[in-house]
Amino acid sequence: MSTTSLPASDRIPALREALLSAAFTADGLLDRLGASAYAALARSETVPALRATRGESPLDTLVRLFLLQRSVSYERAGAALPVEECVEDGWLRRDGDEVRATVDVRPYGGPEGEDWFIVSDLGCAVGGAGGIGSHEEGVVLGVGGASTTLAGITVREPVASALDVGTGSGIQALHASQHATHVTATDLNPRALAFTRLTLALSGAAPADLREGSLFGPVADETFDLIVSNPPFVISPGARLTYRDGGMGGDDLCRTLVQQSGDRLNEGGYAQFLANWQHVEGEEWQDRLRTWVPRGCDAWIVQREVQDVTQYAELWLRDSGDHRSDPAEYSARYEAWLDEFEALGTKAVGFGWITLRKTSAAEPSIVIEEWPHPVEQPLGPAIEAHFARQDYLRERDDAALLAAHFTLAAEVVQEQVGMPGAEDPEHVVLRQHRGMRRATKVDAVGAGFAGVCDGSLPAGRILDAIAQLMSEDPVLLRDRTPQAIRLLVEEGFLEPIRDGV
């Protein structure tokens, strides 16, 4: 389908009003379908939603048209939509007395309860179970787990300029439009730019500056306060599907995107990406990623998942529907993936988040870690707080740290672990119930220190009191404890009171 065959945007306000009037919203769908059918729809399972929309209400009609891609009568569609205009503008295709949707229109709830709509190719709202492989190469996906993850981890401070690289159906540009004065969105696929225009308009958002091209090519040497990208990060043989395959060797596309972003950031600006990276024989994956970080940037890289090469190949062969093809063809494609990994020396593939922040600090902070455990989304505030803590620690030596005041972060609890009935615990664990939801073991000094941090006393005075209670030398305790305090601050268990320094 060419770009010119996509719906026109001239009369979108009237269409948006009709969708809202019918309660064709995220909340409206949940109320109408029920939690079970709503969740099934997110897995591309349509039978429960079909059963739930057997009525004749406008909402039932819209669900069947845009989410289930079923035909409805022209008359029934007219009770829910300005049907004549929708046919003329290309949202619907008429076939005799029936109409069908030409695109997927999916309600999406914004962070402040906004009623948004993501427009994408039919059957491509979430990928995988919908059989993406049956579509042409230039298909544009809608909302999926990766796109919502990136939206959740993005720092949402007001900024003058934001750039969405590889915008797809426009979900990241839509989020950015709420806190950026000017949004630029790029994509190699002109069809994706057309979908982004529809998504923004149908959601009632301001239009973005849409530019065609690869990576940072369309923006030359312009700089931004925020850069986001959910790129085609899949490491595959060739670039058969542009919505997911990078088209460069190995993880070169993700590496190039990260390395080049440093020169496009304004001071204090953030660049945030989802990415895949290779685990190569004879090389630590952390060392590989450290070389990606551009000069003049702090970085926080979190590996969320690792798959061996067979798991990885099977995941993406299923994503494209190749497992439903001729067995010989499937085997040949599977072999091609394994040949590619063997040639690259790749033993596994990691997936995770990369956040950069432009800094003028003499020694940028680079934190690379593995954290496969559940987190609390949206994580944007926690990511911003991480970099603020890095600034705080970078500016203070041990003496300044001992003079500082701290409080225990909200919703941190202490757990004592040991055998039932034992007089003393084997160890003490501090556990977060917000943000990254970390847990860390602490010794008796660490537990005691964290437990009394209420901001009233400087750290050194607290250690002196602990030394007296434990009959320890206060000078030695002051010497050995700052590193433990730094770790508790860095990981968010302790929050500094800046006015108390």
Side-chain angles (χ1 to χ4, degrees):
M1 186 183 294
S2 66
T3 304
T4 55
S5 65
L6 288 174
S9 56
D10 299 342
R11 291 180 282 204
I12 280 184
L15 174 57
R16 173 175 168 80
E17 181 58 34
L19 300 180
L20 295 178
S21 296
F24 188 63
T25 63
D27 289 340
L29 286 182
L30 182 59
D31 289 343
R32 182 68 186 91
L33 301 180
S36 179
Y38 188 78
L41 192 60
R43 300 190 300 270
S44 288
E45 295 291 347
T46 59
V47 172
L50 281 168
R51 291 171 63 86
T53 54
R54 288 171 171 167
E56 297 290 328
S57 73
L59 181 54
D60 291 333
T61 299
L62 295 175
V63 170
R64 287 187 166 240
L65 271 175
F66 290 116
L67 300 188
L68 306 180
Q69 283 92 58
R70 298 300 175 105
S71 295
V72 303
S73 71
Y74 186 90
E75 181 181 2
R76 179 176 174 180
L81 294 163
V83 64
E84 183 176 350
E85 291 85 351
C86 286
V87 171
E88 290 178 2
D89 291 345
W91 294 92
L92 302 176
R93 182 178 67 252
R94 185 169 185 176
D95 183 12
D97 292 334
E98 294 188 328
V99 292
R100 293 181 71 97
T102 62
V103 292
D104 186 298
V105 177
R106 190 147 305 234
Y108 178 79
E112 301 298 329
E114 301 94 341
D115 290 317
W116 289 343
F117 301 94
I118 309 300
V119 188
S120 65
D121 271 309
L122 291 172
C124 297
V126 293
I132 300 302
S134 63
H135 293 267
E136 62 182 85
E137 184 266 351
V139 69
V140 177
L141 301 191
V143 179
S147 53
T148 55
T149 293
L150 178 58
I153 69 172
T154 300
V155 174
R156 296 295 175 194
E157 287 299 304
V159 294
S161 58
L163 171 66
D164 177 12
V165 180
T167 187
S169 56
I171 181 174
Q172 308 306 328
L174 179 57
H175 275 280
S177 71
Q178 303 305 292
H179 64 102
T181 303
H182 184 82
V183 177
T184 302
T186 71
D187 206 290
L188 183 63
N189 182 2
R191 184 173 173 77
L193 299 177
F195 271 117
T196 294
R197 181 179 291 107
L198 296 175
T199 288
L200 292 172
L202 193 58
S203 298
D209 181 1
L210 305 176
R211 306 186 194 179
E212 182 181 345
S214 178
L215 299 180
F216 294 107
V219 299
D221 57 356
E222 296 174 54
T223 57
F224 303 87
D225 301 313
L226 174 67
I227 298 172
V228 293
S229 183
N230 176 20
F233 51 67
V234 177
I235 301 170
S236 63
R240 186 161 61 100
L241 299 172
T242 56
Y243 73 85
R244 67 165 205 195
D245 299 330
M248 298 184 184
D251 51 20
D252 281 356
L253 184 135
C254 291
R255 175 185 57 80
T256 300
L257 181 63
V258 174
Q259 288 180 337
Q260 292 183 356
S261 63
D263 292 336
R264 274 77 179 185
L265 279 177
N266 295 324
E267 181 69 19
Y270 288 90
Q272 298 187 262
F273 315 101
L274 302 185
N276 275 181
W277 44 79
Q278 296 164 236
H279 285 225
V280 178
E281 292 285 354
E283 176 187 68
E284 295 295 328
W285 66 269
Q286 295 94 333
D287 293 339
R288 183 182 191 85
L289 289 175
R290 195 167 281 108
T291 67
W292 291 16
V293 179
R295 186 185 303 274
C297 287
D298 292 328
W300 186 17
I301 301 175
V302 182
Q303 180 167 273
R304 295 286 290 161
E305 184 179 1
V306 181
Q307 291 183 316
D308 68 43
V309 293
T310 59
Q311 292 173 313
Y312 188 81
E314 290 162 13
L315 169 68
W316 294 110
L317 287 169
R318 288 181 176 275
D319 169 82
S320 56
D322 289 315
H323 62 300
R324 294 191 292 268
S325 65
D326 175 74
E329 183 179 351
Y330 174 75
S331 295
R333 284 186 169 160
Y334 200 152
E335 286 273 8
W337 282 71
L338 297 184
D339 288 343
E340 177 83 358
F341 289 132
E342 185 175 346
L344 295 169
T346 303
K347 59 182 180 180
V349 177
F351 167 81
W353 317 325
I354 298 177
T355 300
L356 307 176
R357 186 188 60 166
K358 190 78 167 183
T359 180
S360 58
E363 295 186 16
S365 163
I366 300 177
V367 176
I368 303 175
E369 62 176 321
E370 186 164 20
W371 190 254
H373 311 294
V375 299
E376 181 191 49
Q377 285 276 36
L379 204 60
I383 289 177
E384 186 176 16
H386 165 88
F387 286 96
R389 293 193 298 268
Q390 297 301 314
D391 285 343
Y392 179 89
L393 293 171
R394 186 161 43 199
E395 295 165 358
R396 286 161 177 81
D397 59 15
D398 287 354
L401 207 63
L402 291 174
H405 296 233
F406 301 95
T407 60
L408 193 65
E411 297 191 38
V412 171
V413 298
Q414 176 179 301
E415 301 174 357
Q416 295 186 346
V417 182
M419 295 296 294
E423 185 174 343
D424 296 311
E426 294 177 12
H427 57 265
V428 175
V429 173
L430 298 181
R431 187 177 301 277
Q432 300 170 349
H433 287 278
R434 303 291 300 274
M436 292 291 284
R437 294 178 176 170
R438 297 186 187 275
T440 187
K441 291 182 183 180
V442 292
D443 60 13
V445 172
F449 181 86
V452 298
C453 275
D454 60 3
S456 60
L457 293 174
R461 290 274 301 278
I462 295 174
L463 290 178
D464 291 343
I466 291 174
Q468 185 175 3
L469 286 173
M470 300 180 67
S471 300
E472 289 204 31
D473 185 332
V475 175
L476 294 179
L477 192 60
R478 279 175 171 252
D479 284 344
R480 77 168 193 257
T481 306
Q483 187 57 38
I485 295 175
R486 284 186 184 277
L487 182 62
L488 291 175
V489 172
E490 180 176 334
E491 295 191 341
F493 291 95
L494 295 178
E495 295 180 348
I497 299 178
R498 294 177 182 269
D499 291 339
V501 177

